[in-house]
Amino acid sequence: MYAIETTIALILGFLLDLILGDPRGWYHPIVTIGKLIGKMEDCLHKMFPKTKQGELFGGVCLVIIVTALSTAVPIAISFLCFRLHPAAGIAAETVMCYYILATKSLKTESMKVADALTAEGLEAGRGAVSMIVGRDTSRLDEDGVVRAAVETVAENASDGVIAPMIYMAIGGPALGFFYKSINTMDSMVGYRNEKYQYFGRTAAKLDDVVNYLPARLCAWFMIGGAWLGGFSGTGAWRVYKRDKRKHDSPNSAQTEAVMAGALNVRLAGDAWYFGVKHEKPVIGDDLRPIQVEDIKRANRLLYRTAWIGLLVCLLIKGILLWLFQ
């Protein structure tokens, strides 16, 4: 009924994200979802026994409760605002789309790593990159810090931009928040350690499922961005075909492979998590040393990918409008 209005909201939300990013101190619904996950985790741990079955069932309940609430609230807000006036509905959905997307904030946070390395040195760079990655950063040299920042831009191009954009193109902000709730749960409980091995399994597996197609589409969009100039389109395509499965996750290496090939650098490799070294294959070719400037270059490719993604999503919306109206 409000497909055209929702399309307008997606465009405006995308532009608002590019302009404002994620201003500090503002209310953010994703933070609220994170707090909900934390509280539900505490409650469910108390309700169910500390057994494999109990932890698994508790994790399933967490996913059901969090996704249901995260989807129902934006549906209710959209319904009430559109009942009030179409302009109110567009405004509400624009703000929701803005909160769901993270293009500028990804650029801002990754560039803090580059600025810290340039202005203050390695220790400052380690501190800055520790804010955007889950691995231990105390052992990283300068190349490792830069590599971690570039990998974060590559991976989150899908998780933070293209995937939520695709879901919003299909089902509006409500489906976008459905996706973000799963993605947020995975980032909080989807670890393969003693604490979350069973409790976080459902969230982690569901995150793999909802990201499967978007990660691959994002890789293709990024390859297209590389071919537009300033990057190695040939390298992006070659490394993508060869290295797109070199990760425990079925999705993470998709965009990392493209980024490595586009920049002609090597990414990934061994990393430390919670004091334990994890051996991982490298992605890309060591054709040249990675440089701080590559963080900026990665963000240029991120923005191209985002714009290509928006155009494709508008095409999706157009097809859906044609089919169902």
Side-chain angles (χ1 to χ4, degrees):
M1 182 177 181
Y2 298 108
I4 295 176
E5 289 85 350
T6 299
T7 303
I8 294 171
L10 176 59
I11 297 170
L12 294 177
F14 176 81
L15 295 175
L16 200 60
D17 173 55
L18 295 187
I19 295 168
L20 297 178
D22 188 13
R24 298 291 182 182
W26 288 26
Y27 167 76
H28 205 300
I30 306 302
V31 174
T32 301
I33 291 174
K35 291 179 180 179
L36 172 65
I37 293 167
K39 290 181 179 179
M40 290 309 306
E41 178 187 352
D42 292 340
C43 292
L44 292 168
H45 275 310
K46 294 175 182 177
M47 290 175 61
F48 297 106
K50 299 284 192 293
T51 62
K52 176 181 177 180
Q53 291 74 19
E55 293 284 296
L56 284 171
F57 190 71
V60 171
C61 291
L62 176 72
V63 168
I64 292 172
I65 294 168
V66 172
T67 55
L69 289 174
S70 299
T71 307
V73 171
I75 287 175
I77 292 173
S78 292
F79 176 79
L80 291 173
C81 289
F82 275 115
R83 286 292 297 272
L84 181 64
H85 194 277
I90 292 173
E93 292 205 342
T94 294
V95 172
M96 287 190 277
C97 291
Y98 156 65
Y99 276 130
I100 290 170
L101 296 170
T103 313
K104 186 174 182 179
S105 63
L106 179 55
K107 175 188 174 182
T108 300
E109 295 304 314
S110 60
M111 285 306 299
K112 286 180 181 178
V113 179
D115 294 341
L117 281 172
T118 302
E120 302 177 60
L122 179 57
E123 284 302 320
R126 286 171 173 168
V129 82
S130 70
M131 304 302 293
I132 59 173
V133 300
R135 72 191 71 175
D136 298 341
T137 61
S138 60
R139 303 171 188 265
L140 296 178
D141 58 12
E142 182 171 315
D143 287 357
V145 171
V146 174
R147 193 172 290 115
V150 171
E151 290 167 11
T152 297
V153 173
E155 184 174 353
N156 285 282
S158 178
D159 292 0
V161 182
I162 299 301
M165 192 186 294
I166 289 171
Y167 281 104
M168 286 191 290
I170 296 170
L175 197 59
F177 274 113
F178 171 81
Y179 167 79
K180 290 301 293 183
S181 69
I182 295 170
N183 195 236
T184 306
M185 276 187 285
D186 178 61
S187 68
M188 293 179 64
V189 304
Y191 296 102
R192 296 179 182 178
N193 56 23
E194 183 177 352
K195 181 177 182 181
Y196 294 118
Q197 181 180 3
Y198 301 116
F199 185 80
R201 181 175 296 181
T202 301
K205 294 297 183 183
L206 187 57
D207 185 72
D208 288 342
V209 171
V210 297
N211 278 300
Y212 189 86
L213 182 59
R216 284 147 184 81
L217 289 173
C218 184
W220 281 87
F221 300 161
M222 193 176 286
I223 291 170
W227 277 108
L228 291 176
F231 299 91
S232 175
T234 302
W237 173 243
R238 175 177 53 80
V239 176
Y240 171 70
K241 288 193 297 181
R242 188 191 70 198
D243 294 349
K244 62 185 177 182
R245 295 184 178 89
K246 285 188 175 181
H247 201 286
D248 289 341
S249 164
N251 303 317
S252 295
Q254 299 285 320
T255 48
E256 285 187 33
V258 177
M259 183 67 76
L263 298 179
N264 286 320
V265 298
R266 177 181 62 80
L267 298 177
D270 297 347
W272 290 78
Y273 295 87
F274 305 105
V276 178
K277 184 179 180 180
H278 292 251
E279 295 184 357
K280 299 183 177 183
V282 297
I283 295 174
D285 300 311
D286 199 9
L287 300 179
R288 65 173 181 82
I290 197 164
Q291 304 168 338
V292 175
E293 181 69 15
D294 286 316
I295 300 176
K296 184 177 181 179
R297 298 185 70 219
N299 280 303
R300 288 210 311 270
L301 187 52
L302 164 69
Y303 269 59
R304 291 186 185 183
T305 304
W307 277 105
I308 292 171
L310 178 65
L311 293 176
V312 172
C313 285
L314 293 179
L315 178 61
I316 292 173
K317 294 289 288 186
I319 292 172
L320 292 176
L321 281 169
W322 179 73
L323 288 175
F324 296 106
Q325 286 195 350

